[in-house]
Amino acid sequence: MAWTSPATFVHGNVLTAAQLNAALRDNMLETMPAKATIPLQHFVTTATNVITARTISYANVDASEETTSSSYADLATVGPTITATTGTKAFVIYSAGMSTDDSTMRLLSVSVAVSGATTTAAADDVALRLPSLSDYATQATMAHLFTLTAGSNTFTMKYKTAGGNTKFYRRQLIVIPF
Amino acid sequence: MTWVANVPLTAAQLNTFVRDNFNETAPGRATTAGSWFITTGRNAIAERVIKSAFDSFGVTVRSSNWSNASPPGPIVVAETGAQALVWLTGDIEVDTTLVADGFSTAYLGFEVTGATSLSPSDERALSWTQMQASGGASSSARYRQTYAYWVQLTAGSNTFTAKYRINQRGPTADAFFFRTQLAVVAL
C-alpha cells in the first residue's frame, strides 16, 4: 500500500480499524526500516512521499593489462563492471594506475560507458586523462555525476592511449545510485 | 509515548504521536526525486539534493585574479546544511608558448554566495602546473582531473560558482579550461 498523508484525529470521532491500517500500518511500511533489506543501503526520494533503497557498489580489477587502442576499448579483463538499479542520477567514482612505454609524452585516458536502461558511450567528457612516457607511472581518481534513464544500468570502465604500449592497473569502480 | 492499558486514547495523542511523527519520516518529507536524507539533529532529518552543472565549451584565462569565465562557468544552487562535498572536474591546459623560462599554474576553484560568503582560494581548487626550461620547446598539453573539497557552510540556500585564474611566472601565459563540471553533494 502507498503512503497516505496522516489523518488529523478529532476528539469524539470513532477510531476505526481502517484509519489505523492506513495511518499506522501502511505508512510504517513506507519508512526506512520497513524497506531496508540488506546492509549498505541508503535511501533516496523517487517521487513525492516515496523513498527507495539504493545500494552502493564496488568492483575492481588489479591485473596490469596493455592496450594500444586510440579509441575507448576493453582490456583483456573487461571492466571493472557494475550493474545497479538507479534513478535518474548516479555518482560514479573511478580510478586507475597507468603508464606508457612511448619515449614521447602521451595522454592516457580512462572513461566509463553506460548500457542497459541508458546507452552512453565512453567519452572524453567524463574521462580521467593523464600524461606518461618511458614507463613513468601515475595514478589518480575521477568522479562524475551521470544523468541516466531510471532502471537497471551497467557501468563499464574503458581505456585508450595516444601512443605506445600502455598499461592500466589497480582499476577501481564505485557506483552510488540516486 | 508509551501506551498504558485502561488509559483513554485521545485525538491529541494520536495527532502528536501518529500524524505529526509520520510527517517527520523520510516518506513524509520526500518531495524531489534523486534526493537523499541527512540527519540535522536529534530526531530530525532533512531532504538534500545532489546537483551538478557541466559546461562543454572552452574558456581562456590570463588573469592572476580569480574571475568568471566568459561565458560563465558552471553554477549550482543548493539547499545545504552546515557542510557540503564539492567536486571540481575539468580539462586544463597551460600554454607555455608565451613563457620564456618558468612555469605557470592554472586554478579551477569555486565561490559560495547566498547563506554563505566564501571567496575562491588556491586551497580549494583543482590546479595544474606546466613547466618550461629556458631554451626548451614550448609545450601545451591538456589533462583532465578532479578535485574534491569538504566545505563548511552556513545552512540555507547556497550558490556555488566556478572561478578561474592563472599564476604566471614569466611574461604571460594562457590557461584553457574545457568540459568543466561542478558537483555539490549537499549534507
Side-chain angles (χ1 to χ4, degrees):
Chain A
M1 297 295 291
W3 173 269
T4 303
S5 185
T8 297
F9 299 93
V10 179
H11 177 72
N13 285 5
V14 174
L15 182 61
T16 69
Q19 284 177 319
L20 288 176
N21 287 335
L24 286 180
R25 183 196 64 189
D26 295 344
N27 281 348
M28 288 192 78
L29 289 173
E30 293 298 316
T31 62
M32 287 191 208
K35 289 184 170 232
T37 55
I38 59 174
L40 295 180
Q41 289 178 321
H42 62 284
F43 287 83
V44 300
T45 302
T46 48
T48 300
N49 301 128
V50 180
I51 62 170
T52 301
R54 298 287 192 220
T55 303
I56 300 172
S57 300
Y58 168 81
N60 72 299
V61 176
D62 282 336
S64 175
E65 295 175 334
E66 288 189 356
T67 183
T68 57
S69 177
S70 60
S71 59
Y72 285 108
D74 296 322
L75 301 178
T77 305
V78 175
T81 298
I82 290 174
T83 297
T85 301
T86 79
T88 58
K89 290 183 284 192
F91 204 31
V92 183
I93 304 167
Y94 34 108
S95 61
M98 59 197 83
S99 66
T100 183
D101 64 0
D102 200 313
S103 58
T104 301
M105 185 170 287
R106 299 294 185 181
L107 194 59
L108 314 182
S109 305
V110 179
S111 187
V112 172
V114 187
S115 58
T118 312
T119 300
T120 303
D124 291 347
D125 279 1
V126 305
L128 170 66
R129 314 191 77 195
L130 294 173
S132 173
L133 79 165
S134 303
D135 291 318
Y136 283 107
T138 187
Q139 182 170 291
T141 297
M142 175 55 65
H144 188 79
L145 187 65
F146 281 80
T147 299
L148 306 163
T149 301
S152 178
N153 285 290
T154 298
F155 302 82
T156 305
M157 287 175 68
K158 302 281 187 179
Y159 312 84
K160 72 173 183 178
T161 179
N165 292 308
T166 300
K167 299 176 185 176
F168 295 91
Y169 51 92
R170 287 199 287 269
R171 299 131 60 183
Q172 300 184 83
L173 179 65
I174 299 169
V175 174
I176 304 175
F178 291 101
Chain B
M1 67 173 285
T2 299
W3 311 99
V4 179
N6 301 316
V7 174
L9 182 62
T10 70
Q13 287 174 325
L14 287 174
N15 287 334
T16 297
F17 297 108
V18 175
R19 181 196 66 188
D20 295 346
N21 278 347
F22 268 113
N23 281 332
E24 293 299 317
T25 63
R29 289 183 162 267
T31 59
T32 305
S35 301
W36 64 348
F37 292 89
I38 299 292
T39 59
T40 55
R42 180 177 291 276
N43 304 126
I45 63 172
E47 188 181 43
R48 299 288 191 223
V49 296
I50 300 89
K51 292 176 126 179
S52 70
F54 178 81
D55 287 329
S56 60
F57 51 79
V59 296
T60 302
V61 173
R62 192 174 282 190
S63 173
S64 59
N65 297 316
W66 287 103
S67 59
N68 292 320
S70 180
I75 298 173
V76 172
V77 181
E79 190 77 20
T80 77
Q83 295 164 330
L85 181 61
V86 179
W87 289 87
L88 296 159
T89 305
D91 292 49
I92 301 179
E93 179 178 343
V94 178
D95 184 0
T96 62
T97 305
L98 304 174
V99 180
D101 176 14
F103 60 88
S104 292
T105 302
Y107 295 91
L108 168 61
F110 66 96
E111 167 188 74
V112 187
T113 56
T116 309
S117 290
L118 185 66
S119 298
S121 167
D122 294 354
E123 296 176 348
R124 295 183 289 272
L126 172 63
S127 68
W128 183 263
T129 297
Q130 191 72 36
M131 290 174 278
Q132 177 181 327
S134 178
S138 63
S139 61
S140 177
R142 188 183 311 169
Y143 309 124
R144 181 170 181 79
Q145 297 182 85
T146 193
Y147 181 76
Y149 192 82
W150 189 273
V151 63
Q152 304 293 329
L153 304 164
T154 300
S157 178
N158 285 292
T159 298
F160 300 79
T161 304
K163 295 284 189 180
Y164 310 80
R165 83 178 198 93
I166 180 167
N167 182 27
Q168 307 160 23
R169 178 173 178 263
T172 54
D174 287 340
F176 304 90
F177 300 87
F178 303 85
R179 292 188 287 241
T180 307
Q181 181 183 61
L182 191 158
V184 177
V185 181
L187 300 169

